[in-house]
PDB file of all heavy atoms in Angstrom:
ATOM      1  N   LEU A 128     108.300 100.578 100.472  1.00 98.00           N
ATOM      2  CA  LEU A 128     108.687  99.294 101.050  1.00 98.00           C
ATOM      3  C   LEU A 128     107.446  98.419 101.134  1.00 98.00           C
ATOM      4  O   LEU A 128     106.415  98.854 101.636  1.00 98.00           O
ATOM      5  CB  LEU A 128     109.247  99.478 102.470  1.00 98.00           C
ATOM      6  CG  LEU A 128     110.437 100.418 102.632  1.00 98.00           C
ATOM      7  CD1 LEU A 128     110.778 100.571 104.114  1.00 98.00           C
ATOM      8  CD2 LEU A 128     111.652  99.895 101.859  1.00 98.00           C
ATOM      9  N   GLU A 129     107.561  97.170 100.653  1.00 98.00           N
ATOM     10  CA  GLU A 129     106.453  96.227 100.798  1.00 98.00           C
ATOM     11  C   GLU A 129     106.894  95.203 101.842  1.00 98.00           C
ATOM     12  O   GLU A 129     107.399  94.134 101.522  1.00 98.00           O
ATOM     13  CB  GLU A 129     106.140  95.558  99.454  1.00 98.00           C
ATOM     14  CG  GLU A 129     104.944  94.628  99.535  1.00 98.00           C
ATOM     15  CD  GLU A 129     104.457  94.157  98.181  1.00 98.00           C
ATOM     16  OE1 GLU A 129     105.292  93.992  97.271  1.00 98.00           O
ATOM     17  OE2 GLU A 129     103.237  93.941  98.038  1.00 98.00           O
ATOM     18  N   GLY A 130     106.730  95.585 103.101  1.00 97.00           N
ATOM     19  CA  GLY A 130     107.229  94.770 104.203  1.00 97.00           C
ATOM     20  C   GLY A 130     108.509  95.378 104.756  1.00 97.00           C
ATOM     21  O   GLY A 130     109.370  95.837 104.003  1.00 97.00           O
ATOM     22  N   VAL A 131     108.598  95.388 106.109  1.00 98.00           N
ATOM     23  CA  VAL A 131     109.746  96.046 106.752  1.00 98.00           C
ATOM     24  C   VAL A 131     110.489  95.084 107.679  1.00 98.00           C
ATOM     25  O   VAL A 131     111.116  95.520 108.642  1.00 98.00           O
ATOM     26  CB  VAL A 131     109.299  97.320 107.511  1.00 98.00           C
ATOM     27  CG1 VAL A 131     108.700  98.324 106.543  1.00 98.00           C
ATOM     28  CG2 VAL A 131     108.299  97.005 108.632  1.00 98.00           C
ATOM     29  N   GLY A 132     110.417  93.774 107.365  1.00 96.00           N
ATOM     30  CA  GLY A 132     111.087  92.773 108.205  1.00 96.00           C
ATOM     31  C   GLY A 132     112.522  93.162 108.527  1.00 96.00           C
ATOM     32  O   GLY A 132     112.953  93.106 109.682  1.00 96.00           O
ATOM     33  N   GLY A 133     113.283  93.594 107.516  1.00 97.00           N
ATOM     34  CA  GLY A 133     114.701  93.887 107.664  1.00 97.00           C
ATOM     35  C   GLY A 133     115.009  95.106 108.522  1.00 97.00           C
ATOM     36  O   GLY A 133     116.169  95.324 108.885  1.00 97.00           O
ATOM     37  N   ILE A 134     113.998  95.898 108.850  1.00 98.00           N
ATOM     38  CA  ILE A 134     114.241  97.075 109.694  1.00 98.00           C
ATOM     39  C   ILE A 134     114.299  96.670 111.171  1.00 98.00           C
ATOM     40  O   ILE A 134     114.955  97.333 111.978  1.00 98.00           O
ATOM     41  CB  ILE A 134     113.159  98.167 109.426  1.00 98.00           C
ATOM     42  CG1 ILE A 134     113.320  98.703 107.996  1.00 98.00           C
ATOM     43  CG2 ILE A 134     113.240  99.302 110.439  1.00 98.00           C
ATOM     44  CD1 ILE A 134     112.301  99.757 107.596  1.00 98.00           C
ATOM     45  N   ARG A 135     113.667  95.543 111.494  1.00 97.00           N
ATOM     46  CA  ARG A 135     113.702  94.963 112.845  1.00 97.00           C
ATOM     47  C   ARG A 135     113.439  95.987 113.959  1.00 97.00           C
ATOM     48  O   ARG A 135     114.120  95.990 114.990  1.00 97.00           O
ATOM     49  CB  ARG A 135     115.050  94.279 113.081  1.00 97.00           C
ATOM     50  CG  ARG A 135     115.141  92.981 112.313  1.00 97.00           C
ATOM     51  CD  ARG A 135     116.097  92.033 112.955  1.00 97.00           C
ATOM     52  NE  ARG A 135     117.472  92.456 112.818  1.00 97.00           N
ATOM     53  CZ  ARG A 135     118.501  91.756 113.229  1.00 97.00           C
ATOM     54  NH1 ARG A 135     118.313  90.594 113.831  1.00 97.00           N
ATOM     55  NH2 ARG A 135     119.729  92.206 113.069  1.00 97.00           N
ATOM     56  N   GLY A 136     112.502  96.873 113.734  1.00 97.00           N
ATOM     57  CA  GLY A 136     112.103  97.815 114.787  1.00 97.00           C
ATOM     58  C   GLY A 136     113.033  98.993 114.973  1.00 97.00           C
ATOM     59  O   GLY A 136     112.783  99.850 115.820  1.00 97.00           O
ATOM     60  N   LYS A 137     114.110  99.039 114.195  1.00 98.00           N
ATOM     61  CA  LYS A 137     115.078 100.132 114.374  1.00 98.00           C
ATOM     62  C   LYS A 137     114.609 101.379 113.637  1.00 98.00           C
ATOM     63  O   LYS A 137     114.700 101.474 112.415  1.00 98.00           O
ATOM     64  CB  LYS A 137     116.449  99.712 113.850  1.00 98.00           C
ATOM     65  CG  LYS A 137     117.246  98.858 114.804  1.00 98.00           C
ATOM     66  CD  LYS A 137     118.717  99.256 114.696  1.00 98.00           C
ATOM     67  CE  LYS A 137     119.573  98.691 115.805  1.00 98.00           C
ATOM     68  NZ  LYS A 137     119.241  99.180 117.124  1.00 98.00           N
ATOM     69  N   LEU A 138     114.146 102.364 114.384  1.00 98.00           N
ATOM     70  CA  LEU A 138     113.637 103.583 113.747  1.00 98.00           C
ATOM     71  C   LEU A 138     114.770 104.381 113.113  1.00 98.00           C
ATOM     72  O   LEU A 138     114.544 105.132 112.156  1.00 98.00           O
ATOM     73  CB  LEU A 138     112.856 104.426 114.761  1.00 98.00           C
ATOM     74  CG  LEU A 138     111.627 103.712 115.355  1.00 98.00           C
ATOM     75  CD1 LEU A 138     110.881 104.627 116.321  1.00 98.00           C
ATOM     76  CD2 LEU A 138     110.688 103.200 114.272  1.00 98.00           C
ATOM     77  N   SER A 139     116.000 104.194 113.607  1.00 98.00           N
ATOM     78  CA  SER A 139     117.142 104.873 112.957  1.00 98.00           C
ATOM     79  C   SER A 139     117.297 104.360 111.521  1.00 98.00           C
ATOM     80  O   SER A 139     117.590 105.137 110.603  1.00 98.00           O
ATOM     81  CB  SER A 139     118.427 104.649 113.754  1.00 98.00           C
ATOM     82  OG  SER A 139     118.649 103.262 113.943  1.00 98.00           O
ATOM     83  N   THR A 140     117.068 103.053 111.321  1.00 98.00           N
ATOM     84  CA  THR A 140     117.150 102.503 109.957  1.00 98.00           C
ATOM     85  C   THR A 140     116.048 103.095 109.086  1.00 98.00           C
ATOM     86  O   THR A 140     116.282 103.469 107.929  1.00 98.00           O
ATOM     87  CB  THR A 140     117.042 100.965 109.991  1.00 98.00           C
ATOM     88  OG1 THR A 140     118.051 100.453 110.864  1.00 98.00           O
ATOM     89  CG2 THR A 140     117.202 100.356 108.614  1.00 98.00           C
ATOM     90  N   LEU A 141     114.837 103.213 109.658  1.00 98.00           N
ATOM     91  CA  LEU A 141     113.732 103.817 108.903  1.00 98.00           C
ATOM     92  C   LEU A 141     114.091 105.243 108.484  1.00 98.00           C
ATOM     93  O   LEU A 141     113.870 105.646 107.341  1.00 98.00           O
ATOM     94  CB  LEU A 141     112.455 103.827 109.757  1.00 98.00           C
ATOM     95  CG  LEU A 141     111.245 104.511 109.108  1.00 98.00           C
ATOM     96  CD1 LEU A 141     110.784 103.763 107.870  1.00 98.00           C
ATOM     97  CD2 LEU A 141     110.091 104.663 110.096  1.00 98.00           C
ATOM     98  N   ARG A 142     114.669 106.007 109.410  1.00 98.00           N
ATOM     99  CA  ARG A 142     115.026 107.399 109.087  1.00 98.00           C
ATOM    100  C   ARG A 142     116.079 107.456 107.983  1.00 98.00           C
ATOM    101  O   ARG A 142     116.013 108.302 107.092  1.00 98.00           O
ATOM    102  CB  ARG A 142     115.517 108.129 110.344  1.00 98.00           C
ATOM    103  CG  ARG A 142     114.386 108.406 111.338  1.00 98.00           C
ATOM    104  CD  ARG A 142     114.835 109.310 112.466  1.00 98.00           C
ATOM    105  NE  ARG A 142     115.687 108.644 113.431  1.00 98.00           N
ATOM    106  CZ  ARG A 142     115.244 107.992 114.509  1.00 98.00           C
ATOM    107  NH1 ARG A 142     113.942 107.908 114.757  1.00 98.00           N
ATOM    108  NH2 ARG A 142     116.081 107.412 115.338  1.00 98.00           N
ATOM    109  N   LEU A 143     117.029 106.530 108.011  1.00 98.00           N
ATOM    110  CA  LEU A 143     118.041 106.511 106.942  1.00 98.00           C
ATOM    111  C   LEU A 143     117.407 106.144 105.604  1.00 98.00           C
ATOM    112  O   LEU A 143     117.759 106.710 104.564  1.00 98.00           O
ATOM    113  CB  LEU A 143     119.163 105.527 107.297  1.00 98.00           C
ATOM    114  CG  LEU A 143     120.056 105.991 108.453  1.00 98.00           C
ATOM    115  CD1 LEU A 143     120.974 104.870 108.902  1.00 98.00           C
ATOM    116  CD2 LEU A 143     120.877 107.214 108.054  1.00 98.00           C
ATOM    117  N   LEU A 144     116.460 105.196 105.638  1.00 98.00           N
ATOM    118  CA  LEU A 144     115.782 104.825 104.389  1.00 98.00           C
ATOM    119  C   LEU A 144     114.974 106.015 103.856  1.00 98.00           C
ATOM    120  O   LEU A 144     114.893 106.217 102.641  1.00 98.00           O
ATOM    121  CB  LEU A 144     114.882 103.603 104.610  1.00 98.00           C
ATOM    122  CG  LEU A 144     115.622 102.307 104.957  1.00 98.00           C
ATOM    123  CD1 LEU A 144     114.620 101.189 105.245  1.00 98.00           C
ATOM    124  CD2 LEU A 144     116.564 101.883 103.836  1.00 98.00           C
ATOM    125  N   GLN A 145     114.396 106.784 104.767  1.00 98.00           N
ATOM    126  CA  GLN A 145     113.670 107.990 104.329  1.00 98.00           C
ATOM    127  C   GLN A 145     114.632 108.949 103.620  1.00 98.00           C
ATOM    128  O   GLN A 145     114.301 109.531 102.601  1.00 98.00           O
ATOM    129  CB  GLN A 145     112.992 108.661 105.534  1.00 98.00           C
ATOM    130  CG  GLN A 145     111.865 109.636 105.173  1.00 98.00           C
ATOM    131  CD  GLN A 145     112.337 111.083 105.049  1.00 98.00           C
ATOM    132  OE1 GLN A 145     113.513 111.386 105.206  1.00 98.00           O
ATOM    133  NE2 GLN A 145     111.403 111.967 104.736  1.00 98.00           N
ATOM    134  N   ARG A 146     115.846 109.071 104.164  1.00 98.00           N
ATOM    135  CA  ARG A 146     116.838 109.937 103.516  1.00 98.00           C
ATOM    136  C   ARG A 146     117.236 109.405 102.144  1.00 98.00           C
ATOM    137  O   ARG A 146     117.622 110.168 101.258  1.00 98.00           O
ATOM    138  CB  ARG A 146     118.090 110.076 104.389  1.00 98.00           C
ATOM    139  CG  ARG A 146     117.869 110.940 105.618  1.00 98.00           C
ATOM    140  CD  ARG A 146     119.126 110.966 106.471  1.00 98.00           C
ATOM    141  NE  ARG A 146     118.845 111.496 107.796  1.00 98.00           N
ATOM    142  CZ  ARG A 146     118.920 112.782 108.134  1.00 98.00           C
ATOM    143  NH1 ARG A 146     119.258 113.675 107.236  1.00 98.00           N
ATOM    144  NH2 ARG A 146     118.652 113.160 109.360  1.00 98.00           N
ATOM    145  N   LEU A 147     117.161 108.084 101.963  1.00 98.00           N
ATOM    146  CA  LEU A 147     117.484 107.488 100.655  1.00 98.00           C
ATOM    147  C   LEU A 147     116.320 107.629  99.678  1.00 98.00           C
ATOM    148  O   LEU A 147     116.436 107.279  98.515  1.00 98.00           O
ATOM    149  CB  LEU A 147     117.842 106.010 100.818  1.00 98.00           C
ATOM    150  CG  LEU A 147     119.194 105.729 101.478  1.00 98.00           C
ATOM    151  CD1 LEU A 147     119.362 104.226 101.703  1.00 98.00           C
ATOM    152  CD2 LEU A 147     120.342 106.256 100.614  1.00 98.00           C
ATOM    153  N   GLY A 148     115.173 108.097 100.170  1.00 98.00           N
ATOM    154  CA  GLY A 148     114.055 108.355  99.255  1.00 98.00           C
ATOM    155  C   GLY A 148     112.778 107.584  99.534  1.00 98.00           C
ATOM    156  O   GLY A 148     111.790 107.779  98.819  1.00 98.00           O
ATOM    157  N   VAL A 149     112.764 106.709 100.531  1.00 98.00           N
ATOM    158  CA  VAL A 149     111.537 105.938 100.798  1.00 98.00           C
ATOM    159  C   VAL A 149     110.416 106.890 101.224  1.00 98.00           C
ATOM    160  O   VAL A 149     110.592 107.698 102.129  1.00 98.00           O
ATOM    161  CB  VAL A 149     111.786 104.873 101.888  1.00 98.00           C
ATOM    162  CG1 VAL A 149     110.469 104.270 102.364  1.00 98.00           C
ATOM    163  CG2 VAL A 149     112.708 103.784 101.349  1.00 98.00           C
TER     164      VAL A 149
END
Side-chain angles (χ1 to χ4, degrees):
L128 303 175
E129 183 169 33
V131 298
I134 294 179
R135 286 206 289 184
K137 279 217 168 296
L138 299 182
S139 55
T140 305
L141 177 65
R142 289 189 286 271
L143 290 170
L144 294 176
Q145 199 267 1
R146 288 177 194 270
L147 288 174
V149 169

